[in-house]
Amino acid sequence: MHRFTPVLEILRRHRPALYLGLLCILVTQAAYMTIPRLIQVAVDSLKVVPLDPDLVPRTALLVLGIAAVRAVSQYWMRWLIVGVSRKMESELRSRVFEHLSRLHFGWFDTARTGDVLSRLTADIEAVRMPVGPGIMYLVNTAVAVPAALAVMWSYSPRLTLLVLVPLAATAVFTKVFSPLVHRASVAMQEGQADLASRAQESFAGVRVVKSYAREEAEVAAFRAQGEDYSRRVLAFVKSRILMGPAFFLLEGAGMLLILWVGGGMVGRGEMTEGEFLAFNIYNLMLLWPMIALGWVVSLFQRGAASMDRINEVLDARPDVADAPGALPLHRPRGEVEVRNLDFSFGKGPPALRGISFRIPAGRTLAVIGPTGSGKSTLLSLLPRLYRVPDGTVFLDGADVNSIRLADLRRAVAVVPQETFLFSASIRENVGWGFEEGPPPGAAERAAEASRISVDVERFPGRFDTLLGERGVNLSGGQKQRVAIARALAMDAPVLVLDDCLSSVDAGTEEEILLNLREATRHRTTLLVSHRIAAVRHADEILFLEGGMIVERGTHEELLARGGRYADLARLQRLQGEIEAAS
Ligand SMILES: Nc1ncnc2c1ncn2[C@@H]1O[C@H](COP(=O)(O)OP(=O)(O)OP(=O)(O)O)[C@@H](O)[C@H]1O
Ligand SMILES: [Mg+2]
């Protein structure tokens, strides 16, 4: 596959406009090429006695008419070709975005947001340039140069051959220079992505930056990165601006040759004054297309560098996708089973080892254990956020790998450990899982069950209060409850709660979870918490440590066993007593 294949695929759909645009280039150039010829005829006719009194006005009118034709066709040429390039840009950007949104979770674990953003913006713009202005000037040059040379040849083959010397030098020069421009342009695009990542991270982490009083250091780091980028840009600019003056120099040398040799020819009567004048005008007309050629080459170089970065995204294959013949899920009951599951992230050490359990539909399983023991990893495998080994995780008896991904994810509503809310209203955030908005009353019921409705009553716009940049900011616990409401509103048969009440106090967590039990009586629930009080009501509790289940049973069974769970329970009871006493 050629690197520009994605672009060509899009251009193919816009063929009519593109062809029409190319036709306009031909008309524009044809009109342009006739003007020196007209001037030649006029100049040579000036010597004819008696002088035709209409000659000058007639020529002037003709030139004017041709200029008008050229203006109109030039307008359409730009409009059509630049228009196609803009449409290509927009379609390519949507395609990259669509592909990004299909990529698996793991891809984003290692991607830098700023870098991804710069691929979506600056790189796509850099790919547009060769398509729009690039094609336009390239075709222009391809038409203008041979046409002008042909007319010049008809005046004097010898003089034309002389013109070819600097032209050939220009071509060689371009060939030598373009790899330099290409390298400089790759370095520049990378520098831009680094700069964007730096700024993005600094703002995303603004709380940390401020609370550690690291503003100065951030500013210094940004400045250093900015200077590095600026150096790369200057290197690119240097490689490019060297081309322009070099062309002018070659052209000047060419002109000198023509004046010298051509002047002699006119003196000897081998060429008329009019022809010599026209020849010089044609020669000047060659200059711009040749300079444009150098510029176009650099546009293609830059576009190629950016296209490679875009292709890196387009070539990334989603690690998690529908298997061939994946089955739809009809009215899932919500029975979950895990059989002898081992899992590692990439080539890392195993994060889960030999995990097995079964949750009958509608029951609750809780997972507790020290930090880093693999609780979140376990929960993320049920909706297949990462690649699940075959034959290990089942929903209603079917291997999750055989179920259509969209159906599976609709059947499993997840409240992740790290809350993320969109800059939208609370209502929109709660109804996020529905493409066309939640069914009437569903968002309100979910808000009631997650106990966020009490807080919502106090906000200026109630349920329609905007969050984030343009509205109110919620406390950690409030955010978590909006996130719970979002999952509840989905009315999915399986509910996954990953330590989603860590920001509320222990008493409130237990109370909300008990309240949730009412709302989710018919749902299978997988619950992770660090608190005994939150997990004690579960039908079964797993104690995870180092990716393995070290204890399992009901709250009473585990207490009676006197192991890790009982230790934790004792510790937390003591902590509670100390807090109550103080
Ligand atoms: N995306 C990831 N890529 C690589 N390793 C990961 C990734 N996510 C987690 N891990 C590793 O897997 C192990 C289990 O992490 P996990 O997040 O499941 O722990 P946890 O039990 O949820 O902890 P906590 O109680 O702190 O939330 C850890 O050693 C962690 O470093
Ligand atoms: Mg976790």
Side-chain angles (χ1 to χ4, degrees), residues 340-527:
N340 210 6
L341 166 69
D342 293 327
F343 179 82
S344 336
F345 290 100
K347 293 187 172 50
L352 294 172
R353 274 180 291 180
I355 305 283
S356 296
F357 60 81
R358 199 178 84 84
I359 325 169
R363 293 300 176 84
T364 299
L365 175 93
V367 184
I368 196 167
T371 173
S373 56
K375 305 182 293 296
S376 299
T377 307
L378 178 59
L379 296 196
S380 68
L381 293 182
L382 186 54
R384 283 176 66 197
L385 294 184
Y386 293 94
R387 193 194 189 109
V388 175
D390 282 333
T392 53
V393 183
F394 300 83
L395 179 65
D396 286 356
D399 188 330
V400 287
N401 285 340
S402 70
I403 301 172
R404 278 215 315 239
L405 207 52
D407 289 1
L408 175 69
R409 296 207 174 142
R410 259 194 291 278
V412 182
V414 182
V415 184
Q417 189 164 17
E418 272 170 37
T419 321
F420 183 83
L421 299 180
F422 294 91
S423 300
S425 70
I426 300 179
R427 184 189 302 282
E428 285 167 297
N429 267 291
V430 172
W432 200 265
F434 296 88
E435 223 155 286
E436 268 125 41
E444 287 78 2
R445 277 196 301 280
E448 195 69 43
S450 72
R451 291 278 153 99
I452 188 64
S453 46
V454 195
D455 304 62
V456 166
E457 283 305 305
R458 288 202 302 269
F459 295 143
R462 303 276 166 84
F463 221 34
D464 293 305
T465 307
L466 288 177
L467 299 184
E469 286 159 24
R470 291 171 300 144
V472 300
N473 283 310
L474 300 185
S475 75
Q478 287 168 334
K479 280 187 197 155
Q480 289 187 328
R481 279 173 288 150
V482 173
I484 295 175
R486 172 162 68 202
L488 288 178
M490 290 299 287
D491 205 18
V494 182
L495 184 65
V496 172
L497 305 170
D498 189 356
D499 202 11
C500 63
L501 286 164
S502 55
S503 299
V504 303
D505 59 85
T508 314
E509 176 175 25
E510 192 179 2
E511 183 201 321
I512 293 177
L513 287 174
L514 278 174
N515 190 48
L516 276 185
R517 277 168 76 83
E518 288 302 311
T520 64
R521 198 179 285 290
H522 54 289
R523 285 185 226 182
T524 311
T525 308
L526 260 97
L527 169 77

Side-chain angles (χ1 to χ4, degrees), residues 116-170:
V116 175
L117 281 182
S118 95
R119 286 174 209 235
L120 267 177
T121 52
D123 283 315
I124 290 199
E125 167 67 17
V127 169
R128 182 195 79 85
M129 289 302 283
V131 171
I135 291 185
M136 206 154 64
Y137 289 116
L138 192 66
V139 176
N140 219 7
T141 303
V143 176
V145 173
L149 285 176
V151 186
M152 289 159 85
W153 188 270
S154 76
Y155 289 140
S156 162
R158 186 149 61 107
L159 221 46
T160 311
L161 285 176
L162 273 183
V163 170
L164 287 181
V165 177
L167 271 190
T170 315

Side-chain angles (χ1 to χ4, degrees), residues 366-369 375 529-532 535 541-544 565 568:
V367 184
I368 196 167
K375 305 182 293 296
S529 176
H530 282 277
R531 298 189 187 123
I532 297 286
V535 300
I541 303 166
L542 308 181
F543 195 101
L544 221 57
Y565 183 87
L568 189 66

Side-chain angles (χ1 to χ4, degrees), residues 93-420:
R93 187 182 298 119
S94 300
R95 178 163 165 205
V96 175
F97 187 86
E98 188 187 337
H99 190 78
L100 277 169
S101 65
R102 297 240 163 90
L103 285 179
H104 52 287
F105 219 67
W107 193 86
F108 292 95
D109 280 348
T110 50
R112 293 177 308 162
T113 312
D115 182 71
V116 175
L117 281 182
S118 95
R119 286 174 209 235
L120 267 177
T121 52
D123 283 315
I124 290 199
E125 167 67 17
V127 169
R128 182 195 79 85
M129 289 302 283
V131 171
I135 291 185
M136 206 154 64
Y137 289 116
L138 192 66
V139 176
N140 219 7
T141 303
V143 176
V145 173
L149 285 176
V151 186
M152 289 159 85
W153 188 270
S154 76
Y155 289 140
S156 162
R158 186 149 61 107
L159 221 46
T160 311
L161 285 176
L162 273 183
V163 170
L164 287 181
V165 177
L167 271 190
T170 315
V172 172
F173 193 74
T174 307
K175 178 117 186 71
V176 172
F177 255 84
S178 53
L180 275 176
V181 179
H182 180 70
R183 264 200 304 278
S185 128
V186 173
M188 181 174 74
Q189 294 300 96
E190 281 168 358
Q192 185 165 29
D194 288 343
L195 193 66
S197 298
R198 175 92 236 168
Q200 192 273 337
E201 259 181 39
S202 184
F203 293 131
V206 68
R207 272 168 195 273
V208 183
V209 172
K210 292 216 170 286
S211 47
Y212 283 76
R214 292 274 302 184
E215 290 98 330
E216 299 273 324
E218 281 296 302
V219 170
F222 186 80
R223 180 172 302 134
Q225 192 101 48
E227 279 163 6
D228 174 63
Y229 173 54
S230 154
R231 265 192 300 278
R232 289 167 190 232
V233 173
L234 287 178
F236 173 71
V237 168
K238 196 155 130 199
S239 71
R240 239 179 63 167
I241 57 176
L242 255 173
M243 287 183 136
F247 286 148
F248 277 111
L249 210 65
L250 287 168
E251 181 64 26
M255 240 142 51
L256 196 73
L257 272 176
I258 293 171
L259 280 177
W260 187 29
V261 180
M265 288 170 74
V266 175
R268 288 192 298 276
E270 293 168 30
M271 211 180 182
T272 68
E273 284 90 346
E275 285 173 342
F276 184 58
L277 179 62
F279 190 94
N280 274 291
I281 301 177
Y282 281 118
N283 185 43
L284 278 177
M285 280 163 72
L286 286 179
L287 179 62
W288 169 240
M290 289 315 283
I291 292 177
L293 194 62
W295 182 62
V296 167
V297 167
S298 79
L299 283 189
F300 273 95
Q301 302 287 10
R302 203 174 152 202
S306 284
M307 199 62 218
D308 287 345
R309 285 167 47 77
I310 293 169
N311 282 333
E312 267 174 31
V313 175
L314 289 177
D315 291 343
R317 289 286 134 237
D319 208 9
V320 180
D322 276 341
L327 298 172
L329 200 57
H330 290 298
R331 299 178 158 276
R333 287 173 289 116
E335 183 195 288
V336 173
E337 191 177 351
V338 169
R339 277 187 220 151
N340 210 6
L341 166 69
D342 293 327
F343 179 82
S344 336
F345 290 100
K347 293 187 172 50
L352 294 172
R353 274 180 291 180
I355 305 283
S356 296
F357 60 81
R358 199 178 84 84
I359 325 169
R363 293 300 176 84
T364 299
L365 175 93
V367 184
I368 196 167
T371 173
S373 56
K375 305 182 293 296
S376 299
T377 307
L378 178 59
L379 296 196
S380 68
L381 293 182
L382 186 54
R384 283 176 66 197
L385 294 184
Y386 293 94
R387 193 194 189 109
V388 175
D390 282 333
T392 53
V393 183
F394 300 83
L395 179 65
D396 286 356
D399 188 330
V400 287
N401 285 340
S402 70
I403 301 172
R404 278 215 315 239
L405 207 52
D407 289 1
L408 175 69
R409 296 207 174 142
R410 259 194 291 278
V412 182
V414 182
V415 184
Q417 189 164 17
E418 272 170 37
T419 321
F420 183 83

